[in-house]
Amino acid sequence: MPLGRKVRPSSASGHLETSTLSSILNELKETTDATDLLFRRAQTSLGAYRLPAVSPVSLSSFSEARGEEIEQLPEWLLKELLKGQQRSHSIGLMENILESESVRHRVDSSRSQWKGKIEQQVTLEQLQKLHVAFQDLEINGHKYLDVENFKRTLKKCMGSQNASDEQIEKLFMKIDCSATGRIRWHDFCTYMQLEYAEQHESSARLKEVSFALPATIKEIPHGEPVLKICSLLDSTLITAREDGLVSFWSPQLKLIRSKMVFEKAYRKSKWLMDFTVMTPYNKLILGTGDRELQLYESSNFEPYLQISGLEAIPLNVDYCYTDHDECMILYGDDQGCVNILLICSVGEVLRTWKKLPKLENLPNISLENATLSPNVTYIRWKVHGDWVTQLKYYDSIKAVISASSHEPTALVIGCVVGATNVEQQMKEIKEPRKDSKARKAQSVLGSPSCRAEGDQIVFRVHKGVKTFALSKKNNLIVTGGMDRIIRMWNPYMPGRPTGMLRGHMAPVFYVHISEEDKIFSMSTDNTVKIWDVEDQTCLCTACSKNSGIKGEISACHYIPGIRSLCVATDTLAILHLRLRSPPDPHLVTSHKKPVLCCKFNKVFRHVVSCCEGSVVKVWDFDSGKHLFEFGNAHGGSAVTCLAFDPSRRRLITGGRDGCLNVWNYNNGHCLHTLKREDKSDEVCDCTYVEVNKNKYIIGVGWDRRINLFYDSTENFHHFQKPQAHWQDDINRGHKEDILCIAQCPPTLLATSSYDGEIIVWNMISGHICRKFHTSIAAVTKPVDASVSRVIFLKTRAVKFESAAASLVSNGPQGHLYFWSLRAGDPLIASFAPSRGKSLITGIAVTADDSYLYAADEDGYVYVHDIKDYALQHPEQEAPKYVNHWRAHLNLVPSLEVIDEENILLSCSTDRTVRLWSLDGEYIGTFGQAEPWEIFTPSSWKHPMVPYEILIHPQSMPIHPVLEGKSSDLQLREQEKITQDPATPKEAISNPRLSPATVTTEDIQDEISKRLYANTSSRRLKHERSKLLNRRISHGGPNTYRTINYYEIDSFPGNCRKPDLSVLGTDIFSANYQGAARN
């Protein structure tokens, strides 16, 4: 491959050609080192140098030179740099030494945040140099390279400034996954090729898109074929048939209105050729076979006017609103011409034309008379040698694009008005025509003229172009036609296409480029394909059999509002894209499916996680960035467990397909597949052990046997069978599915099963050492007795004479059990760490077995001090409680304590993998947008907590009012009684007023009795709202609430004084009645 040729970055060679991007921190460090000699003071006797009071490199001057890169730094990193600039350094010796070390450590860790992998910095030229270097070494007798020779060779080919020893060593270990200490050129190339191939596949998985099949089909009345489909801004569809039947449809294909626009008397003589929507003026523009342009009101289909006497039949019609009260009407005809009507003062012109005499029930104006108006300009370009198949004006490029079946002029991009080529204008001036009147008449009548050579770009395409689409954002034109090939063009380079998409088996009928950089194409055999613009690969294919679209296709249209494709054949069909729900800006997930296991690799400082979707992801532990992933690890089956070999260079995964796979996880290469021939039962757990210098991979699962697979670097067979089973395993082993396995070097192995049995094995002899059974309290309901987690307390297990508990397991009813391998009664202690008595699903201990971390199925993590717990005698109480917090929403299947960094790693079926400090401080979730620096606590999320945990109802604090057990009045009375010193103790301990602790069982019983017979026992949010918002009965409204009130009418301010003389008079007497009448 020539070195100058550009390759798409999605390919392996494209990645190799990516340029090396230097980190701003590297430049900052280099500048500091360069100026350090000038500003460095005398060193102390201890070899430490004093930091200058004012740094020679200021952040302000640095940001001016590197403004763009500074903007990309996270906020916490800017704060740390500012701290380093503003710190006033002490002249004290020890303080200066400590600050020097802290600054160095901070800069180094920040640099690791932004550096890329060295294998991604290799260019094609450097790769060729490496090949030559390997060949020279092979000629000299060095077929293999050790790590030192590899360092020298890589530095020589890449330059010492581009590669550090640490980076090269890690690359060597990734290539030498078998830990043989030597590699060949073949190994190097295989690693590079597989890594980039898997990266390409993972990128393709992120771009996966599909249709919801089958399509939504709407039967339409039999008649002429649908000629064209358009959509409005609200996704309303407009269809038109050749006989003039125009219909409006909802996005759900419900008919809104329909009308035959051509009058009955003229229906047989008129045929619709094309139509478009004049959106600002609420009009439809129809081109007919009688060389007419007809305008109709789109709201009621009432005829408005028509322009008759066109030069040719308008086959394609388009409209564009160019400016205020200005527009452009374009149509391509059967003579290969592009006709353009430029109209100014559109509203006035249309109103004037509507007043003209009617012809065939339409106000009529001829094209010749229309062009006489000063507000109308008519232009006609002779563009193609055959009729126009498609035409559209793109305001983004201020040009008209038209297509034809004529090969030499298959696609033309041209100007709208006049010649912009100066040479062409000068030529016309030098060669004036003799008859100027004839020239004027020709321009008025619209006689076709040819554009200047500089005013158009002509594309020659084999067998012409049937359809095209433009994407201004990608500077791309896509064409399709009779040769079944979709071509991708640069609009300004007509020589050859930039890409060719092959896959259709019939002529391409329609193409469209969506805003998401996807190409939609449809062929005449009703096959729909979706292509990726960047990778130029097919993402989805929907054939006629799958989509249910039958018949001959007549029209097709992409609806951007609902991201669907509407197809017209004998029926109307809509193909909806399967839309991913919009991501919650506050919700961060590490996987798309529930995460089942995760582990930390201390050699590469990676975190590897696996999920039910058979995807393995590799994360950077120091920053949380996603480094790599590979899918279909177990053929689509869930990955249930994982383990590393002692060198930490290979990954072992077990899945529900019954296989154990050995990977070079740095490039996704499957080295071996371990499986029993007769069975394919699910593998639940696996581990890597060494017995008498022999190395084995052990897998356990639903086959109820301990399967040992011999691991050797000399075994080149891809598929391997297990070793012979232990005799005790066959005769006295587990009778139910084995769920978990744990080892304690050098000899002990523990397994647990679904029936609650735990067996401790001697790996050397294969004999059973001890058997344990978890106890179940007498309950009426059936209880899950399975033991899914066991772990050795290794500091205690190695003491053979000790009777202390050295094995911890989970068990039924949310208990943890401490077992002794030496005592007569093996069960030393048991307790339930979960306050809600939820099942414990994850267990981890620190390296010195001082602290135990237990996670339950509700996502809570509990910490207990077990340093002096269950050492000699049985314990009746629980160990000392230290802390607890909610780490996840759902079940936590895996916990791991990373003692070197004082970090806790957890994963959950809520699709997240998270890091915590051992004190419960939230560091971050793998997959979040903002990276962290593991050595910089200011970059952690603490004191924040995950958003979904914060808003979850179960995370809300327990309060008597929220639980409905006590009212606010009762709580106030209780506070008064408690604060009053004269109150007797009996009153204080009144059970009616004391806020008793309410357990989940109490809530469940109360709910089942009265309020929530059909709901869960969880304290859900809506249940609380029902209690808080329930209406209180007061025995009905009182008299005051039933009084009606009325508005008082205005009255004059002066009123007569009442006559008090009538007081004491009998108003019913005859004298009073007569006086009142008078």
Side-chain angles (χ1 to χ4, degrees), residues 958-1009:
I958 299 176
H959 194 274
V961 173
L962 295 180
E963 297 298 324
K965 299 296 183 181
S966 303
S967 65
D968 187 48
L969 180 62
Q970 289 176 334
L971 293 178
R972 290 180 181 179
E973 292 293 335
Q974 178 192 357
E975 291 178 359
K976 291 180 181 179
I977 295 173
T978 305
Q979 294 173 1
D980 189 0
T983 305
K985 294 184 179 180
E986 292 77 4
I988 297 177
S989 60
N990 188 348
R992 182 180 178 184
L993 300 178
S994 61
T997 303
V998 182
T999 64
T1000 305
E1001 287 77 8
D1002 298 334
I1003 294 175
Q1004 184 177 7
D1005 294 338
E1006 186 68 20
I1007 288 173
S1008 60
K1009 288 179 182 178

Side-chain angles (χ1 to χ4, degrees), residues 288-309:
T288 70
D290 292 346
R291 300 186 179 185
E292 298 167 342
L293 290 178
Q294 296 186 349
L295 276 69
Y296 290 84
E297 296 284 355
S298 60
S299 58
N300 54 13
F301 302 114
E302 289 298 322
Y304 193 82
L305 63 90
Q306 74 175 3
I307 303 173
S308 60

